[in-house]
Amino acid sequence: MSRKTTGIPGLDGMIQGGFPYPSAILVAGEPGTGKTTLAVQSLFHGASEGEKGLYITAISEPQWLVQRFLSSFSFYDQQLVEKGVVNFIDIGPTLAKNPSDILSTIKKQIEQYHPVRIVIDPITPMTDMLQWRGETREFMHELFAYLKAFECLAIITAELSYDDISHSQESYMVDGVVMLSYPEEEKVRRKFLEVLKLRGTKHTTGRQLIDITDEGLAVQAGLR
Ligand SMILES: Nc1ncnc2c1ncn2[C@@H]1O[C@H](COP(=O)(O)OP(=O)(O)O)[C@@H](O)[C@H]1O
Ligand SMILES: [Mg+2]
């Protein structure tokens, strides 16, 4: 099986060398657990090896604000953005005006940029917006089918807790699920990463301690 290194120190060793390629990986966790950091760090890791990366968001937060937050990390490389190796796209306006056009907008961007790594961060506002129309399931089904057919490593983030994940539709439709969390234990909060599933991969189980620093996110394998 072909794999792509993740760019997250400590993670490749947990998953036989990297994410299967092609594949769609769900990175789930509550706000602030490190989903954006993990996803974008992987995007820049690929880009540093010449792989085109596409970051798609639909949050109302302006894209420059997201980029300013990310640019404080050492993996963020403005040159790769200027050269168009990494592209940031905000489809918030489409989501606000024509929610039903979300899928075709995403497809159009992917066909335009032909990325090797794609990040959709987070998918939650898209699925929430389509919920009241009863279109969520169909949207996710079509999106994941499309991403799987397109040769790429897709990292999709979702604002989901451990309680949500077992009955979330997303987790059934993807090749892998990485859960991030920061439970309060003995009055201290520590951040964790757990690989819940990964197709064709003997992976480490259980929550592993992670660290987020200026260098980005790293798994401290073996530590608990
Ligand atoms: N330079 C840094 N050093 C240490 N921790 C940081 C740094 N930058 C961000 N963080 C931590 O990472 C968290 C943000 O992670 P983020 O990837 O935005 O999470 P999510 O996308 O899941 O909401 C912050 O809540 C903060 O705790
Ligand atoms: Mg985020």
Side-chain angles (χ1 to χ4, degrees):
M1 182 190 292
S2 174
R3 292 184 187 273
K4 290 236 176 261
T5 51
T6 61
I8 310 299
L11 181 54
D12 295 337
M14 292 172 59
I15 54 174
Q16 294 190 281
F19 289 130
Y21 181 80
S23 67
I25 308 294
L26 181 71
V27 175
E30 293 178 67
T33 49
K35 301 180 298 298
T36 298
T37 307
L38 186 155
V40 176
Q41 188 172 336
S42 188
L43 206 60
F44 276 98
H45 168 69
S48 71
E49 299 186 340
E51 296 171 5
K52 271 197 170 182
L54 179 61
Y55 173 93
I56 301 172
T57 191
I59 42 172
S60 44
E61 219 177 335
Q63 182 187 318
W64 63 265
L65 208 73
V66 178
Q67 273 177 269
R68 195 173 64 181
F69 157 66
L70 291 168
S71 65
S72 68
F73 288 110
S74 62
F75 60 76
Y76 187 93
D77 185 342
Q78 184 63 32
Q79 276 201 342
L80 290 173
V81 178
E82 278 162 20
K83 283 192 210 150
V85 183
V86 176
N87 285 284
F88 287 82
I89 303 288
D90 182 5
I91 57 170
T94 301
L95 184 63
K97 269 183 257 148
N98 297 308
S100 297
D101 289 348
I102 276 288
L103 189 64
S104 59
T105 305
I106 291 175
K107 286 183 185 173
K108 220 181 287 166
Q109 300 292 352
I110 291 174
E111 271 141 40
Q112 183 181 339
Y113 290 105
H114 262 268
V116 175
R117 297 191 194 218
I118 300 170
V119 171
I120 300 179
D121 179 48
I123 196 172
T124 315
M126 305 178 198
T127 50
D128 284 354
M129 188 67 109
L130 295 169
Q131 194 76 56
W132 67 276
R133 301 162 160 256
E135 292 173 8
T136 305
R137 198 183 167 77
E138 195 190 343
F139 164 74
M140 286 201 296
H141 212 276
E142 282 187 31
L143 174 65
F144 290 127
Y146 176 80
L147 290 172
K148 283 181 190 188
F150 194 88
E151 284 266 303
C152 67
L153 169 59
I155 300 179
I156 299 105
T157 76
E159 313 259 296
L160 297 170
S161 67
Y162 268 103
D163 286 342
D164 301 327
I165 199 85
S166 54
H167 48 260
S168 79
Q169 297 167 19
E170 292 97 322
S171 63
Y172 291 103
M173 296 179 189
V174 290
D175 302 298
V177 177
V178 174
M179 189 78 205
L180 299 176
S181 60
Y182 53 7
E184 189 179 330
E185 296 174 332
E186 291 149 17
K187 302 223 161 94
V188 286
R189 273 188 192 279
R190 297 191 297 172
K191 289 189 162 100
F192 293 94
L193 176 152
E194 179 171 6
V195 178
L196 292 181
K197 76 165 193 182
L198 194 54
R199 177 175 53 79
T201 306
K202 275 186 239 142
H203 61 82
T204 304
T205 56
R207 292 186 319 188
Q208 309 296 323
L209 205 53
I210 60 172
D211 227 356
I212 303 178
T213 64
D214 290 346
E215 321 249 276
L217 193 151
V219 185
Q220 304 181 329
L223 290 181
R224 272 175 198 249

